[in-house]
Amino acid sequence: MMLARAATWWTILRISIEERLIYRGDFALSTLMRFLPIVTQIFLWGAVFSAAGRSQIAHYSYHDFIAYYLLTMVSRAFSSMPGLASGITRDIRDGTVKKYLVQPIDMVSFLLLYRVAHKLVYYVVAVVPFAMVFTLCRGFFPGWPPPDVFAAYCASLLMAFLLGLFLEATIGMIGFWFLEVSSLLFVYMLFNFFFSGHMFPIDMLPRFWRELVQLIPLQYLAYFPAAVFLGKVTGPELIWGLWVQFGWVVFFMATARLAFHLGVRRYSGYGG
């Protein structure tokens, strides 16, 4: 049974990788274009510090901000799931979800393997641009973190991928109960952009708002991994943060599967 399941998963992963490589030119171009905003951020924060006439803002120097933004790009490359939630709702609305009811693998597992394939192809294409950008911008970084901190950083990136996947899958499953969830997805993406730390470090917020934002899981999609690498989160706070991130992963993994199970029970498909 386990060998048959492993063979099925490997087949799905292989086919998904081949599918991502069909339009490799378009995929490579869109990947490279994502690096252009780096130039904007360098000039933007340079202008902010020049206008403020200060060497630090909220315990971040100019170099810290650029390093933080570069690291959040890596975090978002792991945690972002473009089109996942909207794709699930579209499959539910047009009836395509029926195929997951007859295949020897459930929808959640298929989406996991499909996104793993997407990320593998993405990093094969993006590894050279990432290496070039980080080499050119190496002066903004204080250096490599200690081995234990770097291991924690890698663990936080892996969990950021799983958290982003299962969180968006859970939102997409709402399509079993509501035919149109585009407004909800827009609100989620708006909150995600601000409260994940992609726009600015969360610890820049006033204490009340910072503690409020830290109660939700979005910070673990971008801010937390970058803060770990830069040494902004250390000691017991780092260990606690990793456990909380792991807890959110388990929670949304269970929530996504529960939502699919309950949604299928009320789903009705008509036609051929």
Side-chain angles (χ1 to χ4, degrees):
M1 180 66 69
M2 292 299 297
L3 290 177
R5 178 171 297 182
T8 301
W9 286 8
W10 167 247
T11 301
I12 294 174
L13 179 62
R14 179 175 54 81
I15 294 175
S16 299
I17 292 176
E18 293 174 354
E19 181 182 344
R20 300 306 304 178
L21 291 174
I22 292 176
Y23 301 103
R24 50 188 175 273
D26 177 73
F27 187 82
L29 180 60
S30 62
T31 300
L32 294 176
M33 292 296 290
R34 296 183 182 181
F35 290 89
L36 293 181
I38 296 176
V39 179
T40 305
Q41 290 295 321
I42 292 175
F43 285 110
L44 171 63
W45 288 109
V48 170
F49 275 88
S50 178
R54 299 163 57 183
S55 61
Q56 286 193 342
I57 299 177
H59 306 292
Y60 282 85
S61 66
Y62 169 62
H63 283 197
D64 288 338
F65 270 108
I66 303 303
Y68 173 83
Y69 183 75
L70 291 171
L71 289 169
T72 56
M73 285 189 60
V74 178
S75 302
R76 294 291 297 173
F78 274 84
S79 64
S80 64
M81 301 291 160
L84 175 60
S86 59
I88 294 174
T89 57
R90 183 176 60 253
D91 287 346
I92 295 172
R93 185 171 59 249
D94 62 20
T96 312
V97 72
K98 290 185 292 186
K99 65 184 181 182
Y100 297 109
L101 306 181
V102 296
Q103 289 179 344
I105 186 170
D106 67 317
M107 184 179 186
V108 178
S109 298
F110 177 85
L111 293 174
L112 172 61
L113 295 171
Y114 186 81
R115 290 292 164 165
V116 168
H118 171 81
K119 296 301 180 182
L120 289 175
V121 175
Y122 173 82
Y123 272 103
V124 168
V125 175
V127 63
V128 174
F130 264 116
M132 291 178 59
V133 168
F134 275 79
T135 300
L136 293 173
C137 298
R138 62 185 180 277
F140 294 106
F141 291 86
W144 287 96
D148 56 336
V149 175
F150 186 74
Y153 170 70
C154 294
S156 67
L157 285 180
L158 177 60
M159 288 191 288
F161 164 73
L162 295 174
L163 178 59
L165 171 72
F166 292 114
L167 196 159
E168 287 213 24
T170 301
I171 296 175
M173 299 298 178
I174 298 177
F176 281 112
W177 289 267
F178 299 94
L179 291 178
E180 184 56 57
V181 296
S182 57
S183 298
L184 177 62
L185 292 179
F186 176 78
V187 173
Y188 165 73
M189 294 305 298
L190 185 64
F191 274 82
N192 190 344
F193 184 73
F194 282 97
F195 297 143
S196 68
H198 181 64
M199 189 173 184
F200 55 83
I202 293 176
D203 52 2
M204 289 183 62
L205 294 171
R207 181 177 179 180
F208 172 78
W209 293 106
R210 181 175 68 250
E211 293 178 350
L212 184 63
V213 171
Q214 289 176 342
L215 293 176
I216 59 180
L218 297 180
Q219 65 162 325
Y220 296 103
L221 300 178
Y223 166 77
F224 184 73
V228 170
F229 189 97
L230 293 175
K232 302 294 183 180
V233 182
T234 58
E237 186 181 1
L238 171 58
I239 298 175
W240 173 252
L242 290 173
W243 276 111
V244 172
Q245 186 181 18
F246 176 75
W248 280 117
V249 171
V250 174
F251 172 79
F252 280 106
M253 184 185 300
T255 303
R257 290 195 171 277
L258 178 62
F260 180 72
H261 174 72
L262 296 177
V264 167
R265 293 179 62 181
R266 72 180 307 276
Y267 172 75
S268 298
Y270 301 94

